[in-house]
Amino acid sequence: MLINNVCTNDPAVISEAFCQHFSISPPIESPSHSISHCVNLSCDSTFSFRMVNPTDVEQVINELSSTSSAGPDGIEAKFIKLASHVLCFPLAALLNLSFTTAEVPLAWKRAKVIPLHKGGKSNDMSNYRPISIINSIVKVYEKIIFNQLSEYLTLNNILSPFQSGFRKHFSTTSALLKFTNDIFSGFDNNMLTGALFIDLTKAFDMVDHYLLLDKLHSIGLDRSSLLWFNSYLHHRQQCVLFNGSYSNFLSVDKGVPQGSALGPLLFSIFINDLPTKCIYSNIQLYADDTVIYSSKSNIVDIQHSIQHDFNSVQLWLQSNKLLLNKSKSYFMLFQKRLRPVAASEIHLTYLDMSLISVAEKFKYLGLWLDSSLSFSAHIQSIVHKISYRLKLLYLSINCFSLSVRKKIISQLII
């Protein structure tokens, strides 16, 4: 791992460096003008926590995965499941006490973080995503709270219809179907579709706690619930586990935990008003994966609509203290014309007037897209992966029986 321009293989040094990296947020420039960061939603209902009973707790405990990793306390979920019929009574009493006092114990706010490589150079820490592993008992509590809050959001139709992340009946598949179907509809009408794929730097880790509390208040959370979330968000701690070596615990001043039940839902609430900034274009979100796109008959109209809305989105990001990742944000032009238009003819810019990079192909939500939506790039990627894995399997053909090789193929290749 490259740390301060020095390569090291020491797990203890690497784990400490990762913990520092995940705990420190990059600096954000304050906007030069005042922008309202919170949208006042017209919600007639009010959310408050419902007291839980032992049956509710036991049901959630039994839904835990027996193979999930242990959190900082070292207690695996399978042991809690074995004693669910006994533990459900004190655990329900503890959660109800937490609701009543609006206090979250420090032990519930500690997480073990596993660095997950998301692509790019493996020795660059910026190419790793922090996956938080919390205590199994806290997973039970968070799932109960997730269920209550998610039910409230659904009943009151609060979440944006353009958000497909971490919602019932929504997925990456639904997001991709909506996006690609709109492009094909444009093809049918002899239209071009311009798409701007936006990437955010450490999106989950950059969430400002006070802005999030403002937004929770705007969707109808009562005072007691807000006080509980205030306690839940503040004074969080995390350590990093890397190759068997633990770092020291460090405080986390921003962000919502990835890998927990509540973290993604809270992030969806935080960016829920972002789609309102797109007036002339369409927008599709899956958590922080965002695409702004517009189908028009000519490139002038595409540039105008996307540039106008992207400017508004950038101002929204500034006011909400989120950081745009210019190096991973790209523009693509989709078309099926006998005389194709060069994507380079569209000059989209950031607020500082620097040009947005143009891509011939882009991987969006796991699917490689090309300018004609032929999916040839994605097919080639799959063929390459399968060929590589089959080669490895062939080299070890004498090490496994036929039945084992079939299982390997079905689980790792097909």
Side-chain angles (χ1 to χ4, degrees):
M1 190 66 63
L2 191 64
I3 302 172
N4 295 328
N5 297 321
V6 177
C7 263
T8 180
N9 293 320
D10 187 346
V13 174
I14 295 174
S15 63
E16 288 291 347
F18 264 121
C19 196
Q20 289 280 351
H21 175 71
F22 292 145
S23 300
I24 299 174
S25 301
I28 296 289
E29 292 184 7
S30 299
S32 57
H33 46 287
S34 176
I35 308 172
S36 175
H37 60 257
C38 193
V39 173
N40 292 321
L41 301 176
S42 55
C43 183
D44 298 329
S45 300
T46 301
F47 174 85
S48 59
F49 287 122
R50 298 191 304 270
M51 295 295 108
V52 298
N53 57 56
T55 304
D56 298 329
V57 175
E58 185 176 12
Q59 180 180 348
V60 174
I61 290 176
N62 291 329
E63 292 173 356
L64 289 174
S65 171
S66 299
T67 59
S68 59
S69 301
D73 62 2
I75 302 175
E76 296 182 23
K78 60 184 178 182
F79 298 115
I80 297 175
K81 293 182 72 173
L82 286 172
S84 63
H85 60 291
V86 176
L87 291 176
C88 62
F89 292 94
L91 292 183
L94 279 173
L95 183 56
N96 288 332
L97 180 62
S98 177
F99 287 159
T100 303
T101 61
E103 290 288 339
V104 179
L106 179 60
W108 297 8
K109 297 187 283 188
R110 284 190 159 192
K112 176 177 70 178
V113 173
I114 305 295
L116 178 65
H117 187 233
K118 57 183 180 180
K121 294 182 179 179
S122 59
N123 64 347
D124 185 353
M125 286 190 294
S126 63
N127 290 328
Y128 287 79
R129 177 183 292 110
I131 301 300
S132 298
I133 301 176
I134 56 179
N135 295 334
S136 297
I137 290 175
V138 181
K139 289 181 183 178
V140 174
Y141 291 154
E142 288 206 5
K143 185 60 177 178
I144 292 172
I145 295 166
F146 172 89
N147 290 340
Q148 291 192 17
L149 184 56
S150 182
E151 178 187 357
Y152 171 78
L153 295 174
T154 302
L155 287 175
N156 292 281
N157 199 27
I158 290 174
L159 288 183
S160 168
F162 306 107
Q163 173 63 266
S164 296
F166 312 106
R167 301 175 65 184
K168 193 174 183 179
H169 307 307
F170 289 82
S171 64
T172 55
T173 301
S174 61
L176 285 167
L177 282 173
K178 175 67 170 67
F179 177 57
T180 54
N181 184 66
D182 287 347
I183 296 175
F184 280 123
S185 296
F187 288 166
D188 292 340
N189 293 296
N190 197 30
M191 288 185 175
L192 307 165
T193 299
L196 177 59
F197 299 94
I198 299 173
D199 186 81
L200 302 180
T201 299
K202 302 173 72 172
F204 277 64
D205 302 328
M206 294 293 293
V207 171
D208 183 276
H209 294 160
Y210 293 105
L211 293 184
L212 176 57
L213 289 170
D214 281 347
K215 298 195 177 194
L216 290 172
H217 177 261
S218 73
I219 63 172
L221 268 69
D222 66 6
R223 184 176 182 275
S224 178
S225 301
L226 288 172
L227 288 174
W228 188 93
F229 274 108
N230 181 67
S231 179
Y232 169 82
L233 291 169
H234 289 91
H235 308 297
R236 300 190 68 87
Q237 295 181 344
Q238 65 183 23
C239 69
V240 170
L241 173 62
F242 183 83
N243 283 356
S245 180
Y246 283 90
S247 71
N248 293 316
F249 277 94
L250 287 180
S251 297
V252 181
D253 298 326
K254 287 185 178 181
V256 291
Q258 298 186 60
S260 68
L262 268 180
L265 182 61
L266 292 175
F267 184 81
S268 296
I269 293 171
F270 188 79
I271 64 169
N272 194 48
D273 56 310
L274 174 58
T276 63
K277 303 304 174 184
C278 289
I279 301 173
Y280 301 107
S281 307
N282 298 312
I283 187 171
Q284 189 67 39
L285 300 96
Y286 186 88
D288 61 316
D289 288 303
T290 305
V291 58
I292 301 172
Y293 61 101
S294 177
S295 297
K296 304 288 183 182
S297 58
N298 60 79
I299 59 174
V300 175
D301 290 341
I302 289 176
Q303 173 157 340
H304 176 267
S305 59
I306 294 182
Q307 186 68 69
H308 178 279
D309 291 344
F310 182 49
N311 288 344
S312 299
V313 166
Q314 290 179 89
L315 294 175
W316 183 94
L317 292 173
Q318 285 186 1
S319 65
N320 286 270
K321 302 181 180 180
L322 296 177
L323 190 62
L324 189 65
N325 188 346
K326 295 181 180 180
S327 65
K328 295 182 180 179
S329 298
Y330 293 94
F331 172 78
M332 276 190 71
L333 186 63
F334 297 93
Q335 56 185 316
K336 274 192 176 180
R337 289 186 170 182
L338 296 177
R339 295 181 179 180
V341 178
S344 57
E345 293 184 31
I346 296 181
H347 304 289
L348 295 174
T349 62
Y350 296 101
L351 290 178
D352 61 6
M353 300 309 295
S354 60
L355 289 174
I356 297 171
S357 300
V358 176
E360 292 298 323
K361 63 178 183 177
F362 186 83
K363 191 175 186 180
Y364 176 58
L365 298 180
L367 178 67
W368 279 103
L369 303 171
D370 55 77
S371 59
S372 62
L373 276 194
S374 66
F375 304 109
S376 58
H378 189 72
I379 294 171
Q380 289 173 6
S381 174
I382 292 175
V383 169
H384 176 75
K385 286 182 180 179
I386 292 177
S387 299
Y388 175 74
R389 292 173 181 175
L390 283 174
K391 181 181 179 180
L392 292 178
L393 182 61
Y394 180 77
L395 293 174
S396 59
I397 192 171
N398 296 322
C399 301
F400 306 105
S401 65
L402 178 62
S403 61
V404 171
R405 293 201 301 273
K406 286 182 177 179
K407 287 182 179 179
I408 292 174
I409 289 175
S410 64
Q411 294 181 14
L412 299 181
I413 297 176
I414 297 178

